[in-house]
């Protein structure tokens, strides 16, 4: 597992489709649904004629957490949903999630900070669950 300034995740020696399927199941297990999907590679191909390795952004939402945050500060919707990226990187597939505390830390509202902390725990557990199911890439 790696931690960056605003994301955390891991690398797999598995197929893109296997990582995606396991990720969506793990997110569901933590109460998240996928509200949006952006196929970045397809978009860049269609709009720019550029070829990219597989790259998908899933907009994950946990409705009870989102409701608490939006109720505390209606403008927080501009920082939602939680993005989860699945992308090819050389011979491995990277799964990384935004750190909700990095994004929602911008908001000066204690309830939103509580929601961000809970969302972070749930997203990390989802990433860890995928790491338990699929083979890790050799660094």
């Amino acid at each position: 597992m790696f931690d960056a300034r605003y994301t955390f995740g891991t690398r797999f020696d598995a197929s893109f489709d296997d990582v995606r399927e396991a990720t969506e199941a793990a997110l569901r297990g933590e109460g998240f649904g996928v509200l949006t999907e952006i196929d970045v590679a397809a978009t860049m191909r269609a709009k720019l004629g550029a070829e990219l390795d597989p790259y998908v952004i899933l907009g994950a939402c946990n409705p009870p957490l989102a409701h608490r945050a939006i109720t505390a500060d209606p403008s927080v919707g501009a920082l939602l949903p939680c993005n989860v990226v699945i992308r090819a990187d050389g011979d491995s597939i990277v799964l990384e999630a935004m750190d909700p505390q990095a994004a929602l830390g911008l908001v000066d509202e204690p309830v939103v900070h509580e929601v961000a902390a809970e969302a972070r725990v749930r997203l990390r557990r989802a990433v860890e669950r995928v790491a338990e199911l699929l083979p890790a890439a050799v660094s």
Side-chain angles (χ1 to χ4, degrees):
M1 185 92 130
F2 64 81
D3 286 282
R5 196 166 45 124
Y6 52 88
T7 66
F8 49 83
T10 192
R11 294 176 170 275
F12 297 98
D13 182 17
S15 75
F16 187 90
D17 290 339
D18 286 349
V19 174
R20 181 177 179 153
E21 183 179 318
T23 298
E24 289 186 18
L27 288 169
R28 281 191 303 275
E30 291 296 334
F32 288 89
V34 175
L35 294 179
T36 60
E37 174 189 330
I38 302 168
D39 185 334
V40 176
T43 300
M44 296 300 163
R45 186 178 316 106
K47 301 292 182 182
L48 302 176
E51 289 299 323
L52 293 178
D53 290 333
Y55 192 118
V56 172
I57 302 170
L58 304 176
C61 179
N62 179 301
L65 294 179
H67 182 261
R68 281 176 43 207
I70 290 170
T71 300
D73 182 344
S75 296
V76 81
L79 301 173
L80 301 177
C82 296
N83 287 322
V84 177
V85 173
I86 303 167
R87 61 184 173 85
D89 184 29
D91 292 335
S92 62
I93 302 299
V94 174
L95 165 61
E96 62 187 323
M98 69 173 275
D99 183 342
Q101 289 181 304
L104 297 176
L106 300 169
V107 180
D108 188 24
E109 169 55 55
V111 171
V112 173
H113 292 186
E114 291 170 15
V115 168
E118 186 173 341
R120 184 180 199 281
V121 166
R122 289 172 175 265
L123 285 172
R124 253 190 112 78
R125 272 195 313 241
V127 171
E128 290 167 353
R129 177 69 182 136
V130 178
E132 292 170 359
L133 297 172
L134 298 174
V138 178
S139 299

